[in-house]
Amino acid sequence: MSVQEQPQMINDGEMPDVILKINDVTRTYFMGDQEVNALRGITLNINKGEYVAIMGPSGSGKSTLMNTIGCLDVPTSGSYHLEGVAVNDMSEDQLAEIRNEKIGFVFQTFNLVPRVSVFQNVELPLIYKGVAKRKRREIVEKAIASVGLADRAGHKSNELSGGQRQRVAIARALVCEPSIILADEPTGNLDSKTGEEIMVLLNRLHEKGHTIILVTHEDEIAEHAHRIVRLRDGLVESDIITTTVS
Amino acid sequence: MKLYLDISESFKIALGAIVANKSRGALTALGIIIGIVAVITTMTAANGLKNTFRQTFASVGSDVIYVSKRPWVQMGPGFRFRNRKDISLAASDALQQKLLGRGVVNPSIGGNKNVKYQSKILENINISGTTEKQIIVSDMVPSIGRFLMPFDIEYKKSVAVIGSEIADGLYGNSDPIGKYIKIGRNKFLVIGVMEKQGTSFFGGPNFDRQIYIPISTFGKTLGHNGGRANVNIAIKAPSQESMADFEFEVIGEMRKIRGLKPSEDDDFSINKLDTLLDAYNNMMGAVVLVGLIITSISLFVGGVGVMNIMFVSVTERTKEIGIRKAIGAKKRSILLQFLFESSIICLFGGIVGLSIAALLTKVINDMLMPASLSPSIIISALVISIVVGVVSGFVPAYRGAKLDPIEALRYE
């Protein structure tokens, strides 16, 4: 537990820019009849505008932490506040709402809906949010343009290259103006050149003020972030600020 | 999220999914198509039968009471009715007197004979010995010539009024009026042809194959003497009296005529159109119910087919469900998406099935009996197909809706 007590001096709630507050979170699940303690007590605060990389070997709990931050999963114990809202005991549909409004997912495998166009993919979160059609069109067009795919809006996702698909995914992550962009190995399925382009795009989003959490096992990718949190065996191993955020 | 957005979007997604798998959707709908065709055709056929029945007995007025030895619809052992005393012509005359001219009383005797004109023979034709009042108690009139008149009966004339089918069968295109017809061994003069009655209920009387002769000549024609013949008495109730009261009165008079003691049961039967309709409804109700149960099984099988395909559809799109959930779809959205999918398939099947059933109904109508697709049948077909869609889609859709997003996203 001593590891948990040292990181980050953040004055509880008083600083207006604490966006994510994880306090002594554990997550236990069962594989067959074997108990797996994926998270053993993680405490982590992330401020608005930060660019954080979460790293760790496989089995370190990094995916579970990402799922928890992304509100896809709830902790077994401990608390998780996102923008001051306690997420840990929400219902499934409430979590869906939180994911819709506050989290922008960027996945390693892009996870676009097949068979539908780029426009429709980017539009989807706005539909689930209940935004009217005219307004949606405006937002979606802007988002697609911002990732440089304005001329591809009508294409189906399977007609695009990997890099383009990831751009679509980023556009989709942006449309609901989320509190956090959660990128899980965003370059994992891309060649290094395309991967670099995607990182440039993420960097630019960070410069515009977005909070970005990057889950990766590649040091090169993690270097883009300003803070690196390393996990091992379900605990925070180290939490280092590499660049001071202005 | 706003509900209408949810619904319209789920609908679009469902439609897209079906369009992406056209042949699978069509094959799935086939089961529903067959089920709807079976159920709807059964329903229209049942209606057709009912219409035919009504048409057949349209001439049996609802204000006419028939007094006969046996009931039209016989329940229980037949000997009870067989052993009854025949109803005599005298009883009919007595009844007429007792009623003091209220109502119209018409006695008739029936039997079967072969009839002949030149070399043409029609076998087993229903011969009815009756009076001129026949056309008052039934609603049938001759289309050409005339019906029996009082003097035909009084002077025991050998004249006959024939049904339209008999006219066609024996005389073809030539005019039968004034020609002879041989009934059994006796020659009769054809004086009239009855109006065509049209379709007849299966097994029911065919009034177009009937011959009317004076009741006074019936005995010699059919070979037994008039006194022993069993007479049916038709009584048309006076229009201003209630049927129930009139029937009660007729029963009372008949009991007196038959000399029954108060303790004895009636030894005659009162028959009415209502008796027939009740019997018909009882019988056809059961037949139609069995038919509907059997045909519903095919619809059920179709529904199982839809459920099966919906399970496939949900499994195939596990990843997509994961994606949708990750970016904010609630259970409801996923549930609606798949419910729409199964309902659209079933509704499509219902519409196609209805079109085929409409064609079949037309064929039945042209070839068998008057049948038609009523608006209520059309609406129930569409409602049934949507219900089948929702019911068979629900379990798969619910399974999709409650998938864990993490598991679903991991699915390849």
Side-chain angles (χ1 to χ4, degrees), chain A:
Chain A
M1 281 295 135
S2 62
V3 192
Q4 301 307 319
E5 275 148 28
Q6 43 176 315
Q8 300 270 303
M9 301 303 293
I10 285 175
N11 311 336
D12 267 352
E14 282 184 21
M15 283 185 70
D17 54 356
V18 177
I19 208 162
L20 181 154
K21 205 165 162 246
I22 291 175
N23 190 26
D24 199 19
V25 158
T26 69
R27 179 73 177 99
T28 307
Y29 55 90
F30 292 87
M31 277 180 99
D33 45 1
Q34 204 176 351
E35 200 179 273
V36 179
N37 296 304
L39 302 178
R40 294 159 179 268
I42 297 223
T43 299
L44 182 66
N45 291 325
I46 292 174
N47 293 344
K48 190 167 163 51
E50 272 196 293
Y51 193 166
V52 184
I54 295 177
M55 299 193 70
S58 67
S60 60
K62 148 180 97 158
S63 296
T64 309
L65 180 60
M66 192 211 72
N67 288 337
T68 307
I69 293 173
C71 298
L72 289 163
D73 200 359
V74 285
T76 306
S77 73
S79 69
Y80 170 29
H81 289 79
L82 183 61
E83 288 196 317
V85 179
V87 171
N88 38 293
D89 44 30
M90 280 187 167
S91 75
E92 246 182 83
D93 279 352
Q94 284 172 315
L95 288 173
E97 215 164 290
I98 294 277
R99 288 197 294 271
N100 180 246
E101 289 172 6
K102 300 199 189 290
I103 314 281
F105 285 100
V106 179
F107 298 97
Q108 179 176 2
T109 52
F110 323 130
N111 284 351
L112 301 181
V113 176
R115 296 191 311 271
V116 305
S117 69
V118 166
F119 185 93
Q120 286 169 299
N121 259 291
V122 177
E123 188 187 24
L124 212 48
L126 294 171
I127 290 169
Y128 290 130
K129 195 180 177 183
V131 176
K133 195 167 182 177
R134 270 237 312 273
K135 188 94 185 286
R136 287 205 305 259
R137 179 161 206 96
E138 197 181 298
I139 299 172
V140 171
E141 276 169 359
K142 223 172 100 188
I144 293 176
S146 78
V147 296
L149 286 175
D151 54 336
R152 300 281 160 140
H155 288 237
K156 298 259 165 74
S157 53
N158 52 5
E159 296 165 354
L160 302 177
S161 70
Q164 288 170 327
R165 288 185 205 190
Q166 198 59 300
R167 284 163 187 272
V168 176
I170 291 171
R172 185 180 65 185
L174 290 173
V175 286
C176 286
E177 294 170 353
S179 316
I180 303 169
I181 291 175
L182 194 56
D184 179 18
E185 306 271 11
T187 61
N189 277 21
L190 301 174
D191 61 66
S192 51
K193 186 173 164 287
T194 323
E196 201 51 45
E197 284 169 20
I198 292 299
M199 290 318 295
V200 168
L201 190 55
L202 285 176
N203 294 347
R204 219 167 59 212
L205 290 175
H206 173 246
E207 280 158 22
K208 283 188 189 162
H210 284 279
T211 310
I212 297 179
I213 299 175
L214 193 60
V215 178
T216 183
H217 64 274
E218 287 177 72
D219 289 328
E220 286 165 50
I221 299 300
E223 274 168 18
H224 289 273
H226 299 161
R227 176 179 165 195
I228 298 177
V229 178
R230 285 180 193 275
L231 301 185
R232 183 174 288 275
D233 298 331
L235 292 168
V236 175
E237 185 188 47
S238 68
D239 186 347
I240 304 157
I241 293 174
T242 54
T243 320
T244 319
V245 188
S246 53

Side-chain angles (χ1 to χ4, degrees), chain B residues 161-174:
Chain B
V161 181
I162 63 177
S164 62
E165 248 178 64
I166 291 168
D168 291 343
L170 292 184
Y171 306 97
N173 291 328
S174 63

Side-chain angles (χ1 to χ4, degrees), chain B residues 36-351:
Chain B
I36 289 290
V37 168
V39 171
I40 297 309
T41 312
T42 308
M43 282 164 93
T44 53
N47 271 3
L49 281 177
K50 205 166 199 166
N51 291 342
T52 314
F53 184 84
R54 289 220 179 101
Q55 276 189 14
T56 304
F57 293 101
S59 52
V60 181
S62 57
D63 57 348
V64 180
I65 296 171
Y66 292 82
V67 179
S68 322
K69 181 171 158 184
R70 292 157 180 261
W72 286 347
V73 184
Q74 198 164 306
M75 306 282 183
F79 69 86
R80 276 177 30 217
F81 310 114
R82 207 165 45 235
N83 293 343
R84 282 174 174 176
K85 199 163 65 174
D86 280 341
I87 295 174
S88 64
L89 200 51
S92 169
D93 293 340
L95 185 63
Q96 183 156 24
Q97 277 184 0
K98 298 269 190 193
L99 291 174
L100 303 168
R102 285 162 48 244
V104 178
V105 178
N106 181 57
S108 66
I109 314 174
N112 291 323
K113 277 280 176 231
N114 293 351
V115 299
K116 196 175 165 193
Y117 175 69
Q118 291 171 347
S119 60
K120 288 178 188 152
I121 298 177
L122 294 177
E123 288 182 355
N124 215 22
I125 297 301
N126 188 265
I127 314 292
S128 175
T130 184
T131 77
E132 76 284 355
K133 290 173 194 146
Q134 176 74 41
I135 51 175
I136 302 173
V137 294
S138 74
D139 285 335
M140 294 179 280
V141 289
S143 58
I144 49 173
R146 63 171 178 86
F147 198 71
L148 304 173
M149 298 251 188
F151 59 83
D152 293 323
I153 289 95
E154 193 175 338
Y155 298 110
K156 301 187 179 177
K157 297 268 193 189
S158 291
V159 290
V161 181
I162 63 177
S164 62
E165 248 178 64
I166 291 168
D168 291 343
L170 292 184
Y171 306 97
N173 291 328
S174 63
D175 183 4
I177 307 290
K179 298 207 170 74
Y180 278 91
I181 184 168
K182 211 167 170 190
I183 302 174
R185 261 174 268 143
N186 300 280
K187 270 189 168 179
F188 280 76
L189 181 67
V190 178
I191 54 166
V193 178
M194 297 302 283
E195 219 171 41
K196 192 173 170 60
Q197 297 300 310
T199 28
S200 149
F201 191 71
F202 312 105
N206 181 349
F207 294 110
D208 291 332
R209 286 176 71 83
Q210 180 126 23
I211 296 179
Y212 300 100
I213 59 174
I215 193 165
S216 50
T217 58
F218 187 86
K220 79 171 187 196
T221 311
L222 271 288
H224 38 93
N225 77 60
R228 241 189 64 208
N230 179 34
V231 173
N232 292 303
I233 309 171
I235 310 131
K236 191 182 171 81
S239 52
Q240 65 275 21
E241 283 181 43
S242 98
M243 275 296 283
D245 291 350
F246 189 68
E247 181 184 330
F248 189 74
E249 190 182 342
V250 166
I251 292 173
E253 297 300 349
M254 274 307 288
R255 286 182 65 90
K256 275 186 236 164
I257 292 165
R258 304 278 272 181
L260 296 176
K261 297 192 187 85
S263 59
E264 284 176 304
D265 287 338
D266 291 350
D267 63 348
F268 54 90
S269 296
I270 297 288
N271 293 308
K272 292 174 292 181
L273 183 59
D274 287 356
T275 326
L276 274 185
L277 288 179
D278 286 351
Y280 173 83
N281 286 338
N282 284 340
M283 180 188 73
M284 283 313 286
V287 170
V288 168
L289 187 67
V290 169
L292 280 180
I293 289 172
I294 292 170
T295 49
S296 297
I297 292 172
S298 65
L299 194 57
F300 176 77
V301 172
V304 171
V306 173
M307 186 183 283
N308 198 14
I309 283 302
M310 289 313 295
F311 272 123
V312 173
S313 186
V314 167
T315 309
E316 263 180 3
R317 279 184 283 156
T318 302
K319 178 115 183 173
E320 183 187 322
I321 294 170
I323 297 168
R324 290 181 184 278
K325 284 198 152 191
I327 60 176
K330 290 178 187 168
K331 280 184 195 166
R332 185 179 68 190
S333 314
I334 307 292
L335 191 72
L336 277 177
Q337 172 186 340
F338 287 103
L339 281 183
F340 270 125
E341 187 173 331
S342 61
S343 305
I344 292 170
I345 289 175
C346 288
L347 185 59
F348 169 77
I351 292 170

